[in-house]
Amino acid sequence: MDTTRDTPAAPAIDIGLDAQDRKQVAEGLSGFLADAYTLYLKTHNFHWNVTGPMFNTLHVMFETQYTEQWTALDAVAERIRALGFPAPGSYAEFNRLSSIAEEPALRESTDWREMVRQLTVGNEAVCRTARRVLQVADEAGDDPSVDLLTQRLQVHEKYAWMLRSLLQ
């Protein structure tokens, strides 16, 4: 029995944003998601591999940050889906879309200061991407995306400040 003929098709998306605006915001959010995921992965990596006199402080700090970041990734991906587009979800897509370069493998001698420096720079990159996409979403009248990006911007600015403070 073919039930596909009896099942009504999903209606077209009609959330008060035209298709072109939704597409532009979703593309921007995809780049933001790629940056945020790359930063998440780097933060988790450093949590696992930090050594030295700042071990305990940084191990805990990095865990707090990557745990918060992990949860936020889902909200960004779900916003892309709500706009009607597939969220990127592979390393290849994230690498292509991200403005944050993947670092070479850590050496045993990688200093905690270098880890903190890289995470400071990474959080600032996420902030710059958030600001660009926020402008696109604002021009489109996409208040939920503006709200989401504003919240993420506040978090990553705080992380950048906290990390930078360790190096001063």
Side-chain angles (χ1 to χ4, degrees):
M1 176 176 182
D2 183 9
T3 59
T4 56
R5 279 186 267 165
D6 300 332
T7 305
I13 296 173
D14 185 13
I15 59 173
L17 299 172
D18 70 40
Q20 185 59 34
D21 285 341
R22 286 187 296 105
K23 182 177 187 214
Q24 286 181 329
V25 174
E27 287 173 352
L29 286 171
S30 293
F32 178 79
L33 181 63
D35 278 358
Y37 191 89
T38 303
L39 179 62
Y40 155 78
L41 190 59
K42 186 179 286 200
T43 305
H44 208 151
N45 178 19
F46 291 169
H47 164 78
W48 288 329
N49 291 297
V50 68
T51 59
M54 292 292 291
F55 169 78
N56 194 55
T57 300
L58 293 176
H59 187 74
V60 171
M61 176 188 250
F62 295 165
E63 182 175 23
T64 300
Q65 290 182 5
Y66 81 68
T67 300
E68 188 280 333
Q69 291 169 359
W70 178 254
T71 302
L73 292 171
D74 197 53
V76 177
E78 288 178 355
R79 183 65 195 149
I80 295 166
R81 295 298 299 137
L83 291 169
F85 297 90
S90 71
Y91 290 122
E93 284 179 292
F94 288 147
N95 191 42
R96 181 178 58 80
L97 294 169
S98 183
S99 71
I100 301 172
E102 195 172 28
E103 297 295 328
L106 291 176
R107 298 180 316 273
E108 186 65 34
S109 63
T110 301
D111 185 70
W112 68 265
R113 289 171 196 83
E114 176 59 16
M115 292 178 177
V116 170
R117 186 197 68 75
Q118 286 185 33
L119 292 180
T120 301
V121 170
N123 275 282
E124 289 176 347
V126 170
C127 289
R128 289 189 301 275
T129 300
R131 286 185 193 288
R132 278 194 310 275
V133 181
L134 196 148
Q135 185 173 0
V136 171
D138 189 43
E139 289 171 3
D142 182 359
D143 295 333
S145 294
V146 168
D147 182 54
L148 175 64
L149 289 161
T150 299
Q151 291 176 39
R152 298 312 308 151
L153 187 55
Q154 289 173 326
V155 168
H156 289 287
E157 283 182 350
K158 181 178 179 179
Y159 288 170
W161 158 66
M162 293 171 76
L163 291 159
R164 184 182 306 287
S165 294
L166 289 168
L167 299 174
Q168 293 176 330

